[in-house]
Amino acid sequence: MRKFIVTLLSTCFLLACSSSKVINIHEPELEFTNIKSDFILKDVNNYDCDDIDVSTLKYILTTSKPISQIELHDEFSTVGCSIKGWVTIKNKSIGFKFDYGGILYLDHGEIMACGEDCCQNNFKYCTWEKSENTN
Amino acid sequence: MLNKDKDGWITNLKVHKEHRPTIEKSPIGTITAIVLHRTGSNNAQSVLNAWKNKPEGTHFLISETGKIFQTASLNKQCWHVGKLYSKCRINSSCEKADAEAIENILHMKNTRWGKKFKLVTRHELKKDYPARFPHNLDSLGIEVVGVISQKSETYETPNKLQLNSLFWLVDELVSLYGLSIKDLYAHGQVAHKDEKKSEGTSALKAYAIHREK
């Protein structure tokens, strides 16, 4: 038992995890626990992105909403800075990738993204725009 | 040679008019490029339905069976490109002042990534094509029905029927507007779309092989 606790604590220390429950505001039945990530940043465009923390992930899981591939294509941009992690949904641990454009790709195929509610107060990890024109 | 009427519509039996007025914007300038897109859906009908009341779209849509729809006049801009990458930054060819201006935007504090990309796009639009990537102002867009494969995280390669239609359409447009293969772009390569920059890439590669034959 002691060994198990030590292993669990050291895993949490290395991965930075949060066991508290996060409930999505758009779909209250969508509950997330055990949010874990090693926060190792992949930066494909060399944008020198800053580190992200678990409280930001919690905010995204709370305020983002499930979207389709079409919505992703039309309304969001990818930054190319991303981290990987795991989250428990309905007692199942699911891997995810979070792109700094506010896009969370869950390994079971669902995509959640930081849209209107999430993009408040100049939230940094936000690329959502209803209309993409930049002229 | 492809015929286009005065209102910007192709008059050819291979091209089916499905006018979607909501995706048509201001008059387009000189057409200098074509951008290849993928829909993120597996059928054309859902896209045609969505474009009945959406502001974004492309001039053409190629269905899962290779049917070509023209949805907007070639005299009008469509919002299809989105937020551009800096071309010279990608090619490591920016002049010093230009590179500094772009890096300053990208490193702005307390600024949304979406806002930074908008500013980079505005900065890029001060340049003339081909010093920058094409934009809504000067390019046509072609959507090809297709989704991202969950396994590879890249867009699936268009099927044979789609590719045959795409080759014919692009050949005709290239000829109509006096473009070259260098003026063809994959959307994922020019704008901040999928992380692997795959949107339109497989279609573009297939077209390049077709041209070499």
Side-chain angles (χ1 to χ4, degrees), chain B residues 62-68 144 157-168:
Chain B
I62 298 179
S63 81
E64 60 279 19
T65 58
K67 193 169 177 180
I68 302 171
V144 180
T157 305
N159 65 40
K160 207 173 173 185
L161 293 170
Q162 290 176 312
L163 286 177
N164 286 341
S165 297
L166 181 74
F167 296 165
W168 175 81

Side-chain angles (χ1 to χ4, degrees), chain A residues 40-59:
Chain A
I40 294 173
L41 182 69
K42 186 178 164 194
D43 180 3
V44 297
N45 293 316
N46 300 314
Y47 283 163
D48 300 327
C49 295
D50 293 335
D51 290 334
I52 196 169
D53 61 24
V54 81
S55 63
T56 304
L57 285 179
K58 279 181 165 180
Y59 174 76

Side-chain angles (χ1 to χ4, degrees), chain A residues 42 44-50 69-70 72-74 76-80 82 97 99-100 107-109 119-120 122-127 129-135, chain B residues 37-41 54 56 77 79 82-83 85 89 106-107 110-114 117-118 121 125 135-137 143 147-148 150 153 155 187 192-195 197 199:
Chain A
K42 186 178 164 194
V44 297
N45 293 316
N46 300 314
Y47 283 163
D48 300 327
C49 295
D50 293 335
Q69 266 197 31
I70 298 178
L72 175 67
H73 173 270
D74 290 351
F76 296 86
S77 301
T78 57
V79 172
S82 60
K97 180 167 80 178
D99 180 275
Y100 280 30
D107 284 357
H108 64 2
C119 286
Q120 304 286 331
N122 214 21
F123 183 58
K124 194 167 142 185
Y125 305 96
C126 170
T127 57
E129 209 165 339
K130 195 67 198 161
S131 163
E132 279 211 325
N133 188 44
T134 43
N135 288 342
Chain B
H37 298 251
R38 304 305 300 277
T39 57
S41 67
K54 279 185 72 170
E56 303 93 357
Q77 291 181 36
W79 293 351
K83 299 183 184 83
Y85 286 114
R89 188 178 187 274
L106 291 171
H107 289 89
N110 303 316
T111 307
R112 298 173 179 197
W113 279 99
F117 294 159
K118 206 166 190 171
T121 304
L125 288 175
H135 198 247
N136 304 333
L137 318 158
E143 286 274 8
V147 295
I148 291 183
Q150 205 184 316
E153 297 177 348
Y155 278 91
H187 193 205
H192 290 83
K193 289 295 154 184
D194 60 308
E195 190 187 270
K197 302 182 181 180
E199 192 194 333

Side-chain angles (χ1 to χ4, degrees), chain A residues 82-113:
Chain A
S82 60
I83 56 160
K84 287 193 168 186
W86 300 266
V87 66
T88 299
I89 307 170
K90 291 180 182 163
N91 297 320
K92 224 174 165 182
S93 180
I94 295 170
F96 69 80
K97 180 167 80 178
F98 174 71
D99 180 275
Y100 280 30
I103 308 157
L104 192 86
Y105 303 89
L106 292 158
D107 284 357
H108 64 2
E110 194 161 10
I111 307 167
M112 299 194 57

